[in-house]
Amino acid sequence: MPPLADDDVWRRLLAGDVPGADDVEPGSSAADLLERYGPLVAAGSPLVLAQLGQSLDGFVAARTGDAVFVTGTEDRRHLHRLRALVDAVVVGVSTVATDDCRLTVRAVDGPSPVRVVLDPRARLPPAARLVAGDGPPVLWCVADSAAAGLVAAPGVDVVPLPTTEGAFAPAAVLAALRGRGLARVLVEGGGRTVSRFLAAQALDRLLVTTAPVLVGDGVPGLRFPGADRLADALRPPARRFALGPDTCVELDLSALRA
Ligand SMILES: NC(=O)c1ccc[n+]([C@@H]2O[C@H](COP(=O)([O-])OP(=O)(O)OC[C@H]3O[C@@H](n4cnc5c(N)ncnc54)[C@H](OP(=O)(O)O)[C@@H]3O)[C@@H](O)[C@H]2O)c1
């Protein structure tokens, strides 16, 4: 059998079928695809991923919120591959308000996930492209207290959730998604949303792509109550990939819980 081409590997991964290392030519781009995404497919379900693209000094956007683009085109393709491999993609409402993102899969072949917005105060802009009704379903997670009388656009389901001090417990968000059959989840941003899931130990894998760019001051990426001593810092098993000029590091946070 000739070695598999990139498209063959990707099609099989989308179908949940991980080719063997012998099916690809060592050192080829097909081997890279298999190495990057094979373990995420093999991990099965449930699986909670998070991603951030950040500058070398740890910002996910400039101070105006401009995030176009922190990382390069290879990382954008990588992000779209992650979207295609999950059932649902989760963002905080500030990301929708700032980026007017669609959260669909466009840069590679593959299905678009259900889109989920965490928005306790129901401040999702009504004109956001996400709720234009021409894409995959949207779950609009709002605080119980804000849900009464909300009118959602076609294709948008209101999901009322309890809050503590104005915030949803990540476990409650994930339980609501699993209750809808959405067990493979990508928490896509921004920094506050990913940080909350990280602090709550709700993530299995965290993929941070760092670009060789310095922003100086901007929207921070990860911030969580860390340890006093470096000896107690989180040091999960890590894998590293080059994405053009950027570097993606994948942390296996599930290993810390094991
Ligand atoms: N480079 C990247 O990878 C990337 C990815 C995504 C976004 N971004 C950028 O990141 C910036 C936005 O990031 P951000 O950190 O400021 O905000 P964010 O994470 O997008 O949204 C934060 C807001 O979402 C709501 N939220 C999030 N998690 C919640 C939870 N567990 N419970 C309740 N509410 C929750 C809260 O809304 P309330 O304030 O109403 O309580 C919170 O203030 C934008 O500039 C965007 O362009 C970059």
Side-chain angles (χ1 to χ4, degrees):
M1 285 277 283
L4 294 176
D6 297 17
D7 284 352
D8 302 321
V9 171
W10 181 239
R11 249 193 311 275
R12 282 182 56 176
L13 291 173
L14 283 176
D17 171 23
V18 183
D22 294 345
D23 297 330
V24 292
E25 191 175 327
S28 64
S29 50
D32 284 350
L33 273 181
L34 181 59
E35 186 196 355
R36 268 184 228 153
Y37 305 108
L40 299 182
V41 172
S45 185
L47 184 71
V48 186
L49 311 175
Q51 80 84 44
L52 283 174
Q54 65 173 28
S55 64
L56 202 53
D57 47 353
F59 297 106
V60 296
R63 64 174 155 255
T64 54
D66 173 23
V68 182
F69 290 104
V70 183
T71 53
T73 50
E74 276 300 305
D75 187 50
R76 179 169 178 267
R77 281 171 64 79
H78 163 69
L79 171 58
H80 284 224
R81 288 197 194 278
L82 293 179
R83 286 179 186 164
L85 291 173
V86 295
D87 304 317
V89 60
V90 175
V91 292
V93 66
S94 300
T95 290
V96 182
T98 313
D99 294 357
D100 200 12
C101 44
R102 281 175 282 176
L103 304 177
T104 51
V105 174
R106 303 181 304 281
V108 297
D109 288 334
S112 290
V114 170
R115 292 132 353 131
V116 182
V117 185
L118 304 187
D119 183 15
R121 294 182 284 158
R123 58 189 180 91
L124 181 68
R129 286 195 293 189
L130 200 69
V131 293
D134 57 354
V138 173
L139 300 180
W140 185 16
C141 298
V142 301
D144 284 336
S145 52
L150 270 189
V151 180
V156 179
D157 270 354
V158 176
V159 180
L161 289 174
T163 54
T164 305
E165 294 176 5
F168 308 126
V173 174
L174 295 171
L177 299 185
R178 277 176 205 161
R180 288 166 172 76
L182 308 170
R184 287 174 60 88
V185 175
L186 170 65
V187 184
E188 179 165 325
R192 279 181 287 172
T193 301
V194 172
S195 295
R196 278 189 172 138
F197 276 74
L198 176 65
Q201 300 179 24
L203 300 177
D204 296 311
R205 312 271 172 116
L206 173 64
L207 298 103
V208 178
T209 301
T210 303
V213 58
L214 298 170
V215 172
D217 178 31
V219 179
L222 295 170
R223 294 290 184 276
F224 64 101
D228 289 334
R229 291 156 35 89
L230 281 177
D232 300 323
L234 301 180
R235 289 183 200 270
R239 308 196 301 145
R240 193 174 55 196
F241 314 104
L243 293 172
D246 307 328
T247 305
C248 178
V249 172
E250 178 190 305
L251 300 178
D252 182 359
L253 295 165
S254 66
L256 297 180
R257 296 195 300 267

